Structure formats: C-alpha cells, structure tokens
C-alpha cells in the first residue's frame, strides 16, 4: 500500500494559539495544522496533505516564499511540506479547501467525495524523497526481495480507529520512526 499524501478529511477541532491574532490550530485526526484564523470550522471538509508531501505550485502558490522560485521535484514545480512550529504550536501538513478538487473532477465525481478518499494523484501531490546523494552512503544494492517491506499507517491517521481499539481492548504495537527514515539490517549466509 502506498502512503496517502493527500486525503479528504473533516476538521475535528479548532484551538486558539495564545498570543496569535491571525492564526489558529486545526485538528485533523491526530494531526494539528496551523492556518488562518476562522478559515475553517469544526466539521468542515478539507483536503489534508501530510508532512513530506511535495505540493505543486499550481494548487498552493503561497508556499513559495516571496522573492524565491519554487523547487522542482520529478519535473513538477512546488514545495516540500515540513513540520514546523508557529507561535509554539506544531504544524504538521497543509489544509486546502475542498474546492481545489472541483476543477479536477466532473460533477458526478464531486458528489461522491467521501472522508478518507486519497486525492494525491488527482492533485499531483507526491511523497518527497531525498535525492540519491543524501541516502545511505554504504547501502549495498536494492532492497532484498526476501525481506517483507513494512508499511504501517501513522497513528495520526488512525485516531478514530484507535478509540475503537481501546474500547475493544485490542493489543497494538507502538513503534517510532525517527527523522522520517527507516533502516533495514540483515545477516545472510
């Protein structure tokens, strides 16, 4: 399963940021995103893009700092989303109004939008990967075929399921991915 970089979500909560007049924090699942105050309300539908998404300038020109040119990644101009802190509040990702989808789909498709729908491909939002020269210098070849790749969902995307699992007293495992990187080590023969 490929990671969903942009999905249709519902704003779960809105909170003020002490000392901030024009921004506030919006909660989507387990994620908090800082954006303009009163831009969204609890219950509003939005497009949420996760950290490490590469966002095309076409849909979010405001991400490129004034006086700078957008970056190019996989022949697309845009910017990489990073986790940042604004006025002491962590902001992880980007919220876009649902209207960014309407020019990309017909009326029938628009009527069938549902929470959780992956719209990454539709909006040309991809996962940013570091260039080859920044990857492990001592990696030997490709990923070995005899080791299964893990693809666990982030807990921030599972807040509703987590509540259910806790009520059902399900067992689950906590793991931590540090600095957005993972490592696989094996010894063979």
């Amino acid at each position: 399963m490929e990671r969903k970089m942009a999905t249709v979500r519902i704003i779960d909560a809105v909170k003020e940021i002490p000392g901030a007049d024009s921004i506030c924090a919006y909660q989507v699942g387990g994620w908090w995103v800082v954006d303009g105050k009163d831009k969204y309300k609890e219950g509003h539908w939005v497009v949420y893009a996760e950290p490490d998404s590469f966002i095309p300038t076409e849909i979010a020109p405001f991400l490129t700092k004034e006086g700078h040119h957008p970056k190019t990644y996989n022949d697309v101009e845009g910017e990489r989303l990073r986790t940042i802190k604004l006025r002491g509040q962590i902001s992880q990702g980007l919220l876009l109004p649902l209207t960014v989808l309407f020019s990309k789909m017909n009326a029938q498709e628009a009527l069938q939008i549902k929470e959780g729908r992956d719209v990454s491909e539709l909006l040309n939002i991809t996962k940013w990967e570091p260039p080859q020269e920044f990857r492990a210098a001592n990696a030997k070849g490709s990923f070995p075929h005899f080791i299964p790749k893990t693809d666990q969902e982030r807990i921030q995307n599972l807040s509703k399921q987590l509540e259910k699992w806790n009520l059902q007293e399900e067992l689950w495992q906590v793991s931590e991915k540090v600095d957005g990187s993972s490592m696989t080590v094996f010894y063979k023969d």
Side-chain angles (χ1 to χ4, degrees), residues 104-169:
K104 310 276 184 188
M105 53 179 49
N106 63 41
Q108 185 65 27
E109 288 176 312
L111 290 172
Q112 295 175 4
I113 292 175
K114 59 184 178 186
E115 184 179 13
R117 177 176 174 182
D118 183 356
V119 292
S120 308
E121 189 175 329
L122 188 65
L123 296 175
N124 199 21
I125 295 174
T126 56
K127 182 177 185 322
W128 182 87
E129 297 281 357
Q132 190 65 38
E133 64 266 20
F134 293 113
R135 295 186 186 166
N138 59 351
K140 306 281 188 217
S142 301
F143 195 87
H145 65 86
F146 56 86
I147 298 175
K149 283 190 177 182
T150 59
D151 195 16
Q152 295 176 323
E153 184 64 78
R154 292 167 169 250
I155 193 65
Q156 293 96 328
N157 291 330
L158 298 172
S159 58
K160 291 176 182 159
Q161 290 89 333
L162 183 60
E163 288 174 22
K164 224 183 292 180
W165 295 335
N166 283 334
L167 288 173
Q168 296 169 350
E169 296 183 4

Side-chain angles (χ1 to χ4, degrees), residues 55-75:
I55 309 293
T57 299
E58 171 192 345
I59 61 170
F62 54 85
L63 290 178
T64 302
K65 292 180 182 174
E66 196 172 318
H68 290 81
H69 295 287
K71 317 284 185 295
T72 301
Y73 179 70
N74 292 337
D75 298 322

